[in-house]
Amino acid sequence: MAEPVAVIAVCGHEAAHGRALDGVVDTGVSIVSSGRELFRSIAAHGRRNAETVVVPMTLGRDPELVADTARTLRAVPAGERGTTVLAEPFGTSQHLVAWLRAAAGRVPETSALLLTAPSGDPFEDAELYRIAALVRRYGRGGLVEVAFTGGDPDPAEGIRRCRLLGAQRVALVPAAFALPEVPEVPEAETLPVDRVGPLIPASALRRVLGERVADARRRWREHADDGVAAGLTAAQNHGHSHTHPPGEGHDHEHGHSHGPGHAHEHGHASGHVHDHGPGHEHEHGHDRDPGHPHEHGPGPLHTHHHPSAPGADRVIRSIA
């Protein structure tokens, strides 16, 4: 018989800060928002000397939720924290693509898909456009648009765009735990709208959550790894990119200047787009996902090397 464990599901905007999980997860799961509420929940479980697993409830668009959860866990005094471990996030962007493709398969092919999620920061919103492109390319094809509750374009504008692009019917598909409301639109711009969801059925959601908890406990028992170190780096690939026009040197935040034909190494975090002039040779020691954009001007001397990202061999299990 498995030993009892306390589970904390920490939620951000994708789960309406916890409201979207009410009545969905098991009754013993504590549903909290990040920050002070999470801090108090961890401390309360620690004082009861309960083994506790904290699961960041993101579907992959909110890596900052994972990093913020790790920072909060680290901030709880050791005497109040007890045995508390940080699990892998509930889902990844790859999982979200798969869940959305499955949802698209339940929608008539004549309907346009309007993927809808609560608005986040600009990078989280941009990520949903990337996900939508993958759903269209590797899924059912047809018209796939994006809308953000509380953002731009909002669902009403998304429906209007679908109509202008020739759609006869729209399926409102949640790309989050929270279900979108069907918006009111002017009669002249209205289309039949079907609300699809939830994205993940309650039974599948509980099963995936249980797997994240079991994996975190196993990692703690076998490796004494509480997951905090990995969690602190979760948002490293999340942020501004920048470019260099051809022929311009690097004079920002590198602490050094370069001449033509220079060779160097960069220790950048990810999200880094380069555009260099001819005769450029370098190595990059930054963490990157495969296939990150890297642009260079013409020239014969360009070579570069990308070390594998830490933890690249780690696999998060099932998606449903």
Side-chain angles (χ1 to χ4, degrees), residues 34-306:
S34 60
R36 292 182 179 179
E37 190 176 358
L38 172 62
F39 186 103
R40 290 193 293 265
S41 184
I42 293 171
H45 286 297
R47 286 192 294 269
R48 292 193 292 269
N49 203 29
E51 181 185 356
T52 306
V53 178
V54 181
V55 184
M57 298 302 290
T58 175
L59 297 178
R61 288 179 54 233
D62 191 3
E64 187 57 40
L65 176 67
V66 184
D68 187 61
T69 299
R71 289 190 291 266
T72 301
L73 201 157
R74 186 178 60 174
V76 179
E80 299 181 34
R81 190 166 63 228
T83 303
T84 302
V85 298
L86 177 61
E88 296 278 3
F90 181 91
T92 66
S93 295
Q94 290 84 356
H95 291 147
L96 182 54
V97 170
W99 282 318
L100 288 169
R101 288 178 60 193
R106 299 190 292 269
V107 173
E109 292 187 2
T110 54
S111 293
L113 297 182
L114 183 58
L115 308 186
T116 307
S119 180
D121 68 31
F123 304 101
E124 293 165 9
D125 291 354
E127 176 69 359
L128 188 54
Y129 281 97
R130 185 186 73 86
I131 287 167
L134 293 173
V135 171
R136 183 180 185 276
R137 182 175 181 87
Y138 298 109
R140 47 163 274 169
L143 183 60
V144 180
E145 286 291 306
V146 166
F148 302 98
T149 54
D152 181 31
D154 63 16
E157 173 63 16
I159 292 171
R160 188 184 77 86
R161 291 184 181 188
C162 289
R163 182 184 65 81
L164 291 175
L165 291 170
Q168 300 299 310
R169 195 175 193 94
V170 175
L172 209 59
V173 181
F177 296 104
L179 288 175
E181 296 295 330
V182 177
E184 295 184 5
V185 296
E187 185 175 353
E189 298 179 358
T190 191
L191 283 177
V193 177
D194 304 305
R195 192 170 75 160
V196 179
L199 179 64
I200 307 166
S203 58
L205 189 151
R206 289 192 292 267
R207 180 162 56 82
V208 174
L209 182 60
E211 288 184 358
R212 300 295 177 264
V213 171
D215 288 345
R217 298 181 75 189
R218 185 181 307 110
R219 186 185 65 224
W220 172 252
R221 288 195 308 268
E222 296 177 359
H223 306 289
D225 180 0
D226 63 6
V228 172
L232 290 170
T233 66
Q236 280 188 347
N237 295 342
H238 186 69
H240 286 280
S241 299
H242 64 268
T243 60
H244 301 291
E248 287 193 6
H250 293 30
D251 58 0
H252 58 89
E253 297 187 7
H254 293 311
H256 58 270
S257 59
H258 306 290
H262 69 282
H264 63 203
E265 294 186 8
H266 290 300
H268 296 295
S270 63
H272 190 76
V273 183
H274 268 64
D275 188 42
H276 299 293
H280 184 78
E281 178 179 358
H282 61 206
E283 286 191 3
H284 295 280
H286 51 70
D287 298 342
R288 278 301 311 172
D289 289 335
H292 78 283
H294 218 85
E295 300 174 9
H296 299 281
L301 295 179
H302 183 78
T303 62
H304 62 250
H305 170 65
H306 299 283

